[in-house]
Amino acid sequence: MKKNHKVRVAIVCGSMNIGGGETMAAKLAGYIDRSKFDVKYFVIANYIDNQIAAGLRDSKTDFECLELPNSFSFNSYRKFAQAMKVYSPDVIHCHLDVSYSWVWAILNNKPLITTMHSDPFIRRDKRVATVMKMKSIQGKLRVIGCSKRTMELVQRCYHLKDSQIGYIYNPISVNDFTPAPLSNTQINFVAMGRLHKVKNYPLMLHAFKVVSEAYGDIRLSIAGSGPLENELKELVEQLNIKDKVEFLGNVRDVPNLLNKMDALLLSSVSEACPMAILEAMASGLPVIATDVGGVSELVSDNGIVVPSEDVEAFASAMTMIIESPTLLRNMGCKGRLYSSKYDKTNIAAEYGQEYINLV
């Protein structure tokens, strides 16, 4: 690399769908230090006019949607290869793409860094294992789990060398969030994430039903969309909690939403480093979450971690913070304090060092 040459980084993401991995990848692209790096953001799939697109524009990140199918073929790969040829990156950093980026990096013997956003055993297939092995043998590879737990699972799943693997938590812009004032009239719970089976919203709703029977003046707002929306709305009807649960759809202004809430709920059966938890921490909200993935690395005395798929434990945790405003406030303050560790400046610098090391 020439002296004073900015490292050219192609950040590649599978889609612009609203999800934790997609959101993190787009935000990171805007956070990388432009005095040291030239960054272009590539999306494998089609353009979607949503908050991810708005965020890319706001951060003045150059981006291109390649409109390629998720199913890899060498005919579609040609368009990807041409885009890489035009941009000529020094290093490629992929998220939620296990085909195009990997094949290009192998064929061109280029440095590749990939961020793993979920438990690899859940989505493990032969093509991932094959390209992972090929690139591992070739070298110039760095696999980053977005939590320590994720890193450990990836290493066990793909048998990578210690030198090829690490972990970096997801980034947030802490200053975009302000601590929420504590409600004097009712407790407003919030949940954020795709309406997908991995988030296990039925557990949360059943726990909320139990607690709402004892404490009438509580509310639950659910931000997100997904394939289970109608099913979850029907469950709310069946549980007779429709007057206390609101489905908000995809919310663009997350800081404003969290500023109106008192506590975050997360009931997933699988996670890595949930953006929702980091954003809640920055907003000074306590967190009640299931003990999956990297959750316990983020939540200690700033919330309550309960066993996965345990309705009674989830309901008990909700009851605990309803009955103790002081506990709720103290947990929220600690979350706000801890959130600085995940601020965009720190995380972007860690990724920047990874790029430099690979190049």
Side-chain angles (χ1 to χ4, degrees), residues 226-277:
L228 297 185
E229 183 170 350
N230 291 336
E231 183 178 319
L232 292 173
K233 288 181 177 179
E234 289 176 7
L235 177 58
V236 166
E237 292 267 13
Q238 293 169 13
L239 294 174
N240 196 29
I241 52 175
K242 184 179 179 181
D243 60 329
K244 298 178 181 180
V245 178
E246 182 179 12
F247 289 87
L248 304 176
N250 289 324
V251 174
R252 294 200 175 210
D253 192 347
V254 173
N256 182 57
L257 169 66
L258 294 180
N259 192 251
K260 300 173 183 176
M261 300 295 156
D262 297 301
L264 176 83
L265 304 180
L266 185 143
S267 52
S268 303
V269 293
S270 178
E271 288 286 355
C273 179
M275 294 293 293
I277 289 181

Side-chain angles (χ1 to χ4, degrees), residues 171-219:
I172 54 170
S173 180
V174 172
N175 288 338
D176 289 347
F177 298 83
T178 55
L182 187 64
S183 172
N184 292 320
T185 56
Q186 64 185 28
I187 296 295
N188 297 302
F189 292 104
V190 64
M192 301 190 298
R194 290 189 67 224
L195 307 184
H196 186 275
K197 63 180 181 180
V198 75
K199 300 297 182 181
N200 200 9
Y201 282 106
L203 179 142
M204 181 190 304
L205 293 172
H206 279 96
F208 183 82
K209 165 67 172 178
V210 171
V211 177
S212 68
E213 289 176 347
Y215 304 90
D217 207 12
I218 63 173
R219 298 290 183 272

Side-chain angles (χ1 to χ4, degrees), residues 82-121:
Q82 180 60 29
M84 292 301 108
K85 182 178 180 180
V86 170
Y87 182 61
S88 186
D90 297 308
V91 60
I92 188 166
H93 181 184
C94 66
H95 305 255
L96 309 173
D97 169 41
V98 297
S99 300
Y100 295 98
S101 302
W102 286 84
V103 172
W104 184 85
I106 291 169
L107 293 179
N108 292 273
N109 194 23
K110 284 284 188 176
L112 173 78
I113 177 172
T114 183
T115 297
M116 304 295 284
H117 293 276
S118 61
D119 182 341
F121 286 100

Side-chain angles (χ1 to χ4, degrees), residues 346-358:
N346 300 327
I347 302 302
E350 290 187 52
Y351 271 109
Q353 191 58 54
E354 294 284 353
Y355 300 151
I356 291 171
N357 291 344
L358 270 179

Side-chain angles (χ1 to χ4, degrees), residues 68-82:
L68 300 176
N70 183 51
S71 55
F72 179 89
S73 72
F74 277 98
N75 283 333
S76 57
Y77 169 75
R78 290 192 187 98
K79 185 174 181 179
F80 181 88
Q82 180 60 29

